[in-house]
Amino acid sequence: MPVKASLLSELLLQKRAWTPGAGTGDCMHRELYEFIKREILEGSLSGGSRLPPSRLLGQELGVSRNTVLNAYDQLLAEGYVTATVGRGTFVAHVPLRTAHPAPDPAGRIHGQLTTQSPSLSARGTQLLAHRGASNRQWGAFVAGVPDVSLFPRQIWLRLLNRHWRRPGAETLSYNTVGGHPALRRALAEHLHLSRSVQCDPEQIVITSGIHQAIDVVARLLGDPGDRAWVEDPGYWGTRSVLTSNGIEVVPVAVDADGMAPSDAHLNGQAPCFVFTPPSHQYPLGMAMSVSRRLMLIDYAQRAGCWIIEDDYDSEFRFEGRPLASLQGLDNNERVIYMGTFSKTLFPGMRTGYMVLPRSIAKCAMHALAELYREGQLVQQAALADFMTEGHYAAHIRRVRHVYAKRHGLLRQSIAAHLGPDWPVAAQDAGLHLVLLLPDDMDDVEISHQVQARDVAARPLSHYYQSQNAHNFRKGLLLGYACVPDNAIDQGVQVIARAIREAQVPRCTTAGHTQYHYPFRSERSPQESWPSPSPL
């Protein structure tokens, strides 16, 4: 049965889907198309019904015939209608759409809270349940983010323009060779001189960051169910990538010498991987001793496992030269060295690298090309020039001085507002320090309190895989690299106020209030923590 033009027009007007004379051109035909499509899917226009002639419908709607024809043509192209010359346009027989009330952004349906969640896999559910990425990536006291305002943008722009003037076809295509050859050569020289890494350019594979590097290595060298030793506390991103690949994460405690596997670890089931940042433990900051490094290398050789050396920010040591890499001590080709430009330049560059043993370097290169179809060769060529012309080393020297100053200012503010004896886990290195808290103080709650006052301070407890670990500590991670000098003291005052509000007086004598907060690793139960200085 044909649908009269007047009926279709009335339907449009009744549902307030059309205002006569409103809109022009593409907008009008698109609105008409969307309305008719919706009515077909909801069954208001049944299959086999003939739509009114374009001229007649256009007259009743007050639009041109071409507007209706364009709407009909779009419906025809997507299969919602059929058309036969001389007979007209008919509604196709399509499955009807079942209407479900859609929740609003607050998770409500018609005012009721929903209990349904997306149909995630068990792996996806676990990934999101333990997510660590923060929406905030700048200001006091965001950890792990450099001061991107110090990046020499004009130099970088000049180098990029140089390579964009006459890019070769191969530079604009996919990257299947592990990265731009010039960047791999520049990295090999830089890593040898600054980190004592022993490698040829062919052993280097450029990635989009350490997360991708871990992902490739886990897929290439591990199978679901294999084990990986990961420092506890440790970087949440490592655990997330490994778990998503089916690798069982085994927490290993750290001490003053770095990763400290127990006898149970050393004599039990051997892992496939040992993940460690030996030059600057994350987040507590200690450097792994030479004896512990040699022990791990010897164990990896005997157990046939791979050591993954995460060298995420070793360029930023404020006293003395950067420590030599663990890879440079390995004569057995069991260490895979990983680094990134996210800390030294800016995170948005998304460029990192792996230095692999010769036996697996080409395999990793092919795996990266197979999985990710990498590119960005123009940017890599500019980065190679940035390094070989000395701009990279000059930039690191400049920001190292800035970060050392901010590290000192943060320590001074902590001493001023929390007392000179308040414990801090920090070395003269890196982009953050850890402000330790008493055992019975809730670092998560304090983190929320200061966040409400526009200060970021990640709780240390979130970096532990298990809160039953014997070395479990409470604290706050305070990044200082991306905090302007004049904002540091103000941010510490906010944290000191939150700590003061969280403390409960133990007793009051002679007008002085004492606060009792034992800390297993630093203080005996009989000792008292200092109270924050008056605000």
Side-chain angles (χ1 to χ4, degrees), residues 414-438:
I414 291 172
H417 298 292
L418 292 172
D421 296 329
W422 197 279
V424 173
Q427 305 292 327
D428 290 330
L431 306 179
H432 76 275
L433 57 75
V434 178
L435 178 71
L436 297 173
L437 295 175

Side-chain angles (χ1 to χ4, degrees), residues 198-451:
Q198 306 299 320
C199 71
D200 299 322
E202 292 73 23
Q203 293 175 250
I204 296 177
V205 173
I206 307 300
T207 68
S208 64
I210 286 182
H211 280 220
Q212 188 187 65
I214 295 173
D215 185 59
V216 170
V217 166
R219 293 171 183 268
L220 190 64
L221 303 177
D223 290 310
D226 283 345
R227 291 185 164 192
W229 289 358
V230 176
E231 293 180 349
D232 197 29
Y235 178 47
W236 53 265
T238 299
R239 294 197 296 263
S240 294
V241 176
L242 291 174
T243 303
S244 294
N245 280 289
I247 305 296
E248 179 186 353
V249 174
V250 179
V252 178
V254 297
D255 60 19
D257 290 325
M259 176 180 267
S262 64
D263 289 341
H265 288 112
L266 297 173
N267 298 323
Q269 179 181 344
C272 182
F273 304 107
V274 176
F275 281 83
T276 179
S279 295
H280 190 221
Q281 201 278 338
Y282 191 85
L284 295 178
M286 71 281 289
M288 184 180 290
S289 66
V290 173
S291 60
R292 190 67 57 78
R293 294 176 186 228
L294 294 174
M295 182 275 287
L296 286 178
I297 290 173
D298 179 67
Y299 175 82
Q301 172 63 15
R302 290 185 288 107
C305 62
W306 300 97
I307 298 176
I308 312 300
E309 179 176 6
D310 182 354
D311 202 21
Y312 65 99
D313 73 350
S314 62
E315 292 86 355
F316 301 123
R317 289 189 63 82
F318 309 139
E319 297 290 338
R321 292 179 54 81
L323 301 177
S325 67
L326 189 150
Q327 190 266 6
L329 299 174
D330 175 34
N331 295 321
N332 304 314
E333 294 205 327
R334 304 306 304 179
V335 177
I336 299 172
Y337 177 93
M338 297 182 180
T340 179
F341 290 99
S342 294
K343 312 303 183 190
T344 54
L345 298 180
F346 58 92
M349 178 174 283
R350 303 314 308 138
T351 302
Y353 49 89
M354 297 184 283
V355 180
L356 302 117
R358 292 175 180 83
S359 58
I360 59 172
K362 284 191 175 181
C363 297
M365 178 184 71
H366 295 318
L368 186 72
E370 186 68 21
L371 290 171
Y372 297 106
R373 305 293 284 162
E374 288 293 280
Q376 301 191 39
L377 290 173
V378 173
Q379 176 176 283
Q380 292 180 21
L383 181 54
D385 289 351
F386 191 79
M387 298 184 74
T388 56
E389 293 178 12
H391 306 300
Y392 184 66
H395 177 65
I396 290 178
R397 287 194 299 269
R398 178 190 178 199
V399 297
R400 185 188 292 133
H401 175 75
V402 173
Y403 299 161
K405 178 183 177 183
R406 291 175 180 173
H407 175 266
L409 289 173
L410 180 55
R411 296 291 295 266
Q412 291 173 18
S413 292
I414 291 172
H417 298 292
L418 292 172
D421 296 329
W422 197 279
V424 173
Q427 305 292 327
D428 290 330
L431 306 179
H432 76 275
L433 57 75
V434 178
L435 178 71
L436 297 173
L437 295 175
D439 287 341
D440 52 359
M441 190 173 281
D442 188 345
D443 58 355
V444 176
E445 177 60 27
I446 293 177
S447 175
H448 291 160
Q449 292 294 329
V450 301
Q451 185 177 0

Side-chain angles (χ1 to χ4, degrees), residues 144-163:
V145 177
D147 189 341
V148 296
S149 69
L150 300 176
F151 181 71
R153 295 185 295 274
Q154 292 303 315
I155 295 175
W156 182 248
L157 181 60
R158 174 170 56 82
L159 297 177
L160 277 177
N161 287 338
R162 175 192 298 172
H163 290 279

Side-chain angles (χ1 to χ4, degrees), residues 418-424 436-439 473 515-531:
L418 292 172
D421 296 329
W422 197 279
V424 173
L436 297 173
L437 295 175
D439 287 341
R473 296 182 176 185
Y515 298 85
H516 183 67
Y517 283 105
F519 186 78
R520 280 192 302 269
S521 305
E522 303 288 340
R523 298 168 183 269
S524 67
Q526 289 74 34
E527 291 182 299
S528 295
W529 275 61
S531 62

Side-chain angles (χ1 to χ4, degrees), residues 136 139-143 410-411 413-419 422-424 433-438 441-443 445-459 474-480 483 487-503 529-535:
R136 182 170 179 174
F141 289 101
V142 175
L410 180 55
R411 296 291 295 266
S413 292
I414 291 172
H417 298 292
L418 292 172
W422 197 279
V424 173
L433 57 75
V434 178
L435 178 71
L436 297 173
L437 295 175
M441 190 173 281
D442 188 345
D443 58 355
E445 177 60 27
I446 293 177
S447 175
H448 291 160
Q449 292 294 329
V450 301
Q451 185 177 0
R453 298 166 185 170
D454 201 31
V455 172
R458 282 178 174 265
K474 301 284 187 68
L476 300 172
L477 265 71
L478 306 182
Y480 48 78
V483 188
I488 290 176
D489 190 71
Q490 181 180 356
V492 174
Q493 289 185 49
V494 171
I495 292 172
R497 184 178 297 112
I499 292 175
R500 180 177 180 136
E501 292 170 354
Q503 287 181 314
W529 275 61
S531 62
S533 302
L535 298 176

Side-chain angles (χ1 to χ4, degrees), residues 502-521:
Q503 287 181 314
V504 179
R506 178 186 178 187
C507 62
T508 302
T509 58
H512 297 286
T513 302
Q514 292 182 330
Y515 298 85
H516 183 67
Y517 283 105
F519 186 78
R520 280 192 302 269
S521 305

